[in-house]
Amino acid sequence: ALELAEELWDAGLPGDLPELEPECRSLLAAFAEGSAALTGCLSRRARPVRLCQGCHGHYHRLLAQYGSIARAVGNSSESHNCAKSILTSDRLQIVVTLLEFFNETWEAANCANCLKNNSEGLSNSTEEFLDLFNKSLTCFEHNLQGQAIDLSPNNYTEVCKNCNETYTKLNDLYNHLQRMNRQGGESAHSAHLCIDVEDAMNITRKLWSRTFNCSLPCSDTVPVIAVSSFILFLPIVFYLSSFLHSKQKKRILILPKRIQSNASLVNIQEKYS
């Protein structure tokens, strides 16, 4: 039955069942292959997240394939052009729905924040970050192998000591990229870095703080100590100033009594002189 239906379709049925022109079929087949390739790429790079760096080529090819469908016009008539036949001829509009899903996924991942303006590859800052990320993981692995004899949960001192510099650079670069992105962002999505960078930093921070129990030295120790000391000293200043102020008021209140007592003494001496 299925083969008969395909033969009837290929033969061209009259009425409201127009056959897709060869050009339109070719465009639809290309979009189908592009959708399958992008779906496979996103699935394979879902964990650890490598969507933007691994799938940007598939995504932009699919956009180009969709654009070819939207611009293409068949040879038969205006009512049977490729765009209308493929994109809007039924209620489901499968091709349009698929493209919307891929666009929403790409925007939610903020992949544009990891790519160059022309989207041909990763930006320089993203490549720098990923390079430091790989160096950090390599350092972790190397130092873990060096102390494989004694790998108790609390004995990662070699990792903390030898990888501190690399991890600090990675953490500082991530914070810098985050600040720069927030300054230039105009929407809620753009306030985030791309999902590849965020996931890589989350993985590294969990390894550093939870698994290895390392700590990152604070570079602002002196200012923090100064501010803390000032805050702790404020109550002492407050109570001291209150005490001195009350003593001053007490002197001012006592002074007229002394003057009055001296005047009375003079009057008494004059009276009995």
Side-chain angles (χ1 to χ4, degrees):
L2 181 59
E3 294 178 357
L4 177 60
E6 290 179 351
E7 291 177 1
L8 291 174
W9 184 269
D10 292 336
L13 294 176
D16 295 332
L17 294 174
E19 179 189 1
L20 276 179
E21 297 179 7
E23 177 190 359
C24 301
R25 285 193 178 189
S26 176
L27 292 172
L28 182 58
F31 183 86
E33 292 176 1
S35 299
L38 181 55
T39 301
C41 183
L42 294 176
S43 301
R44 289 190 299 271
R45 289 164 174 78
R47 178 54 44 194
V49 182
R50 300 293 184 268
L51 306 182
C52 306
Q53 53 189 301
C55 303
H56 63 88
H58 292 292
Y59 175 69
H60 290 288
R61 276 192 295 273
L62 188 69
L63 292 181
Q65 290 162 348
Y66 181 87
S68 298
I69 294 174
R71 293 188 300 269
V73 177
N75 297 323
S76 58
S77 67
E78 181 65 24
S79 61
H80 293 162
N81 66 66
C82 295
K84 185 174 182 180
S85 299
I86 297 175
L87 303 180
T88 61
S89 60
D90 59 82
R91 178 173 59 84
L92 288 180
Q93 300 181 10
I94 295 296
V95 172
V96 176
T97 301
L98 283 173
L99 186 71
E100 288 177 351
F101 165 75
F102 289 124
N103 283 337
E104 289 173 1
T105 302
W106 201 253
E107 290 176 5
N110 296 293
C111 287
N113 292 337
C114 277
L115 303 175
K116 296 177 181 178
N117 292 333
N118 55 12
S119 299
E120 292 180 355
L122 297 176
S123 64
N124 294 335
S125 58
T126 303
E127 288 185 345
E128 181 183 1
F129 175 87
L130 293 176
D131 180 61
L132 280 173
F133 169 68
N134 291 328
K135 287 181 178 178
S136 296
L137 294 186
T138 301
C139 184
F140 295 164
E141 183 179 4
H142 175 74
N143 284 275
L144 286 175
Q145 291 175 351
Q147 58 179 52
I149 299 176
D150 186 10
L151 263 183
S152 61
N154 297 319
N155 190 26
Y156 294 109
T157 54
E158 292 298 316
V159 176
C160 300
K161 181 178 67 174
N162 296 332
C163 302
N164 179 71
E165 182 179 356
T166 305
Y167 176 79
T168 301
K169 289 181 180 179
L170 179 71
N171 191 67
D172 291 345
L173 178 59
Y174 179 82
N175 292 334
H176 172 72
L177 294 176
Q178 210 169 33
R179 287 193 299 269
M180 296 297 293
N181 198 60
R182 287 173 179 171
Q183 291 175 1
E186 298 178 356
S187 64
H189 278 313
S190 61
H192 295 276
L193 296 173
C194 76
I195 190 65
D196 294 27
V197 170
E198 287 185 341
D199 185 69
M201 195 67 236
N202 287 338
I203 290 173
T204 314
R205 283 175 172 172
K206 287 178 181 178
L207 288 172
W208 183 260
S209 60
R210 297 183 186 178
T211 304
F212 305 139
N213 198 26
C214 302
S215 60
L216 188 64
C218 181
S219 59
D220 298 329
T221 304
V222 175
V224 170
I225 293 176
V227 172
S228 301
S229 302
F230 175 74
I231 293 175
L232 291 174
F233 192 66
L234 280 178
I236 300 175
V237 174
F238 173 76
Y239 286 116
L240 183 60
S241 61
S242 299
F243 175 75
L244 294 176
H245 184 66
S246 62
K247 290 281 290 183
Q248 186 68 25
K249 287 185 66 176
K250 189 177 295 184
R251 288 178 180 176
I252 294 173
L253 291 173
I254 293 174
L255 185 60
K257 292 182 180 180
R258 291 179 178 175
I259 296 174
Q260 184 178 3
S261 61
N262 291 334
S264 301
L265 180 61
V266 171
N267 291 334
I268 292 172
Q269 289 175 350
E270 289 178 354
K271 183 177 180 180
Y272 291 98
S273 58

